Amino acid sequence: MAELVISSDEENAVLTQLAGLSLSSKTYSHAAAFTVEEQTAAISHLEGSMTKNLFLKDKKHGLFLVTARHDTVVNIKALQKHLGLKGAKMSFAKEELLESTLGVTKGSVTAFAMMNDAERQVRFVLDSKLLENSETKICCHPLRNDRTTCVSAAVLRSFMDSLDVGISVIDFESDPESVCFEDSNVPTTSVIPHKNKNRADSSDSKGAHRGRSKDRGGDLAAVRSAMAPFLTL
């Protein structure tokens, strides 16, 4: 059973970043969890939504990190259509690419790993189910799979804003071909751009964000409705 980590972990880059931004979070320690099943056994008693994460690549369109509720069915072909990626052939990226890009190992993949994407190579995709309620807690590993950090959707948004990371929100239960748009590149997808669009990026500031993994042990209206509380953050 997970236990609340009372003291701050000064060695953990995620917790340091959250604390530095004065963002509320709770972090729990537990046995290392490499799979959704092991995660369920470790933290299912906690308040909040457990997550699963897919690190995907496409030769033409680049790299993607998908964070979804643990019980959401993620169909990769449908995902490509949701994102409007013509001619895409997404597949799971190799662990070597995961480590070099997001600084985590298999079993510790997490939304928080976007802080390690210094070159901004990865597009972040978020399951709209995780945004159904602004108070719902989203539970992710803080770069290590023997800890789980729970934050609100608003806090996750603020965390991504601090990194200049935009969020593509997808309703995975909607039909990606059910609605036609003038902009065919973004069917059934809402995008939350980061707030600091014009902030200059430097290699030094990006490098300061980096942390290291410790692997221990349907329809657009529905999406817009779900996103309404966050678009004014």
Side-chain angles (χ1 to χ4, degrees), residues 16-162:
T16 298
Q17 180 88 344
L18 289 168
L21 295 169
S22 298
L23 297 176
S24 177
S25 67
K26 287 185 178 181
T27 298
Y28 302 83
S29 64
H30 51 76
F34 292 87
T35 65
V36 171
E37 291 73 20
E38 291 175 346
Q39 184 186 40
T40 300
I43 66 168
S44 61
H45 62 287
L46 299 179
E47 178 185 0
S49 295
M50 295 183 297
T51 56
K52 61 182 178 183
N53 300 271
L54 293 75
F55 185 52
L56 305 171
K57 68 174 183 177
D58 179 76
K59 186 175 182 179
K60 180 179 179 181
H61 299 285
L63 302 174
F64 300 81
L65 176 63
V66 180
T67 295
R69 203 168 71 179
H70 74 285
D71 57 353
T72 293
V73 176
V74 179
N75 182 298
I76 294 180
K77 288 185 178 181
L79 171 62
Q80 294 170 166
K81 292 180 180 179
H82 278 296
L83 294 172
L85 305 180
K86 295 182 178 180
K89 293 182 179 180
M90 278 184 172
S91 62
F92 288 97
K94 292 183 177 180
E95 187 166 1
E96 291 81 3
L97 183 58
L98 170 65
E99 291 186 36
S100 64
T101 306
L102 293 181
V104 291
T105 57
K106 186 177 180 180
S108 298
V109 188
T110 168
F112 293 127
M114 289 299 297
M115 72 185 301
N116 290 338
D117 179 23
E119 301 302 322
R120 297 295 176 263
Q121 301 178 66
V122 183
R123 181 172 174 180
F124 182 54
V125 180
L126 189 65
D127 182 1
S128 65
K129 286 182 181 178
L130 295 172
L131 304 177
E132 289 176 346
N133 187 314
S134 61
E135 298 304 315
T136 296
K137 301 301 181 186
I138 301 172
C139 300
C140 303
H141 293 313
L143 307 181
R144 50 186 288 178
N145 65 358
D146 62 346
R147 298 283 189 274
T148 293
T149 298
C150 300
V151 298
S152 69
V155 164
L156 182 61
R157 162 72 192 281
S158 295
F159 182 86
M160 293 301 172
D161 277 346
S162 76

Side-chain angles (χ1 to χ4, degrees), residues 56 61 64 66 72-88 90 123 125-128 167-179 181 183-191 218-223:
L56 305 171
H61 299 285
F64 300 81
V66 180
T72 293
V73 176
V74 179
N75 182 298
I76 294 180
K77 288 185 178 181
L79 171 62
Q80 294 170 166
K81 292 180 180 179
H82 278 296
L83 294 172
L85 305 180
K86 295 182 178 180
M90 278 184 172
R123 181 172 174 180
V125 180
L126 189 65
D127 182 1
S128 65
I167 306 174
S168 296
V169 180
I170 289 184
D171 177 1
F172 287 99
E173 293 185 348
S174 67
D175 181 354
E177 297 181 340
S178 64
V179 184
F181 298 89
D183 182 354
S184 59
N185 290 323
V186 287
T188 64
T189 304
S190 290
V191 178
D219 57 19
L220 184 60
V223 176

